[in-house]
Amino acid sequence: MTWTLTGKTALVTGASSGIGRALATAAGAAGARVLLVGRSEERLAEVADGIGGGATWIAADLAVPAEVDRMAREAAERLGEIDILLANAGLYIPGDAADGDPDEWDQLLSVNVNSVFRLINRVLPGMIARQSGDIVVTSSVSGHQAIEWEPVYSASKHAIQSFVHGVRRQTARHKLRIGAVAPGMVLNPLWGVSDAAEIDARVAAREGIRSEDVAEAVMFMLTRPPHVTIRDLVILPQNQDI
């Protein structure tokens, strides 16, 4: 048995491209009223127009704490209440620790970790008051194991996993659900892949998955009966050696 998203509201961060765009599109197609968050007004407007159904957007830089707070306030005002939070925004930095730029790492941690913690803090009181709500955070397979070529990114996703597991235990008594989806190689601009022909070829070789595959997995998480929580969903290309 599945539950519907019809009539629910969904806040999606990092929604202008990649997994976030696919999540927003899938939530809209499932009947939710979607509010998209990202940095580019032009790209957000394009995605919102494609979704239709009253989809709207807020431009915000989630690396800035005050911007996270402003966005959360505006989202609550526009939606009335936030039924679903899809905390997806993230940055990716690979490379050796000895050669990295700590200032860039700080930026990554601000978006991948701090903004997620802060936004969840802002939406939880309303969900707790209503005794209803779903949160899904986009993590990574590197949150389940440290990957040597991306130690800072891995560390950020390990933080996400720990936070999600702890918050789930705190909020279960309030009938809330929180989980994390952890993709492997996703063929989208975050990982430097945008050519459609290349995506098709690598999918055919089972070397990568599409953003839409991740969105479909998240829709599965959201449409389970209320007594079912999927705490962790790891989704990999069949041929990824991890």
Side-chain angles (χ1 to χ4, degrees):
M1 183 179 294
T2 61
W3 258 245
T4 179
L5 271 60
T6 299
K8 294 184 177 293
T9 61
L11 174 61
V12 186
T13 68
S16 62
S17 66
I19 293 173
R21 180 172 188 154
L23 288 171
T25 301
R33 183 159 58 98
V34 182
L35 194 156
L36 305 91
V37 177
R39 287 178 295 178
S40 169
E41 294 189 8
E42 182 178 353
R43 289 162 65 186
L44 289 169
E46 176 189 348
V47 177
D49 287 346
I51 294 171
T56 186
W57 50 268
I58 297 172
D61 182 355
L62 299 186
V64 180
E67 284 283 276
V68 179
D69 291 343
R70 175 186 65 81
M71 179 271 291
R73 288 193 303 270
E74 290 187 17
E77 290 169 0
R78 292 196 198 181
L79 296 176
E81 58 188 41
I82 298 169
D83 298 312
I84 300 166
L85 170 62
L86 302 179
N88 166 78
L91 302 177
Y92 178 70
I93 298 174
D96 291 348
D99 301 326
D101 182 343
D103 290 336
E104 291 183 355
W105 298 347
D106 285 347
Q107 184 84 355
L108 179 147
L109 293 171
S110 293
V111 176
N112 292 18
V113 180
N114 297 346
S115 76
V116 175
F117 290 3
R118 193 176 194 91
L119 182 54
I120 290 175
N121 169 264
R122 296 302 189 248
V123 304
L124 276 179
M127 290 182 171
I128 290 171
R130 296 190 303 275
Q131 298 284 287
S132 177
D134 279 289
I135 299 171
V136 179
V137 183
T138 301
S139 181
S140 169
V141 66
S142 66
H144 291 261
Q145 63 190 83
I147 297 179
E148 65 181 71
W149 58 83
E150 51 188 30
V152 177
Y153 183 75
S154 290
S156 76
K157 295 306 183 179
H158 274 71
I160 288 298
Q161 291 298 136
S162 180
F163 187 73
V164 165
H165 293 178
V167 172
R168 186 188 73 84
R169 298 284 297 277
Q170 290 183 350
T171 59
R173 67 183 183 273
H174 299 296
K175 301 181 181 179
L176 308 186
R177 301 190 299 186
I178 179 169
V181 62
M185 173 55 69
V186 184
L187 303 169
N188 65 31
L190 183 65
W191 280 274
V193 184
S194 56
D195 179 73
E198 179 184 357
I199 292 173
D200 289 344
R202 294 179 67 178
V203 167
R206 304 186 181 189
E207 296 174 353
I209 58 178
R210 303 179 193 274
S211 296
E212 290 76 13
D213 296 324
V214 181
E216 183 178 1
V218 172
M219 293 305 108
F220 176 81
M221 296 170 73
L222 293 173
T223 56
R224 295 312 88 201
H227 68 284
V228 175
T229 294
I230 299 178
R231 188 192 70 175
D232 294 294
L233 194 159
V234 178
I235 175 171
L236 305 172
Q238 183 269 325
N239 200 28
Q240 186 167 2
D241 187 21
I242 292 179

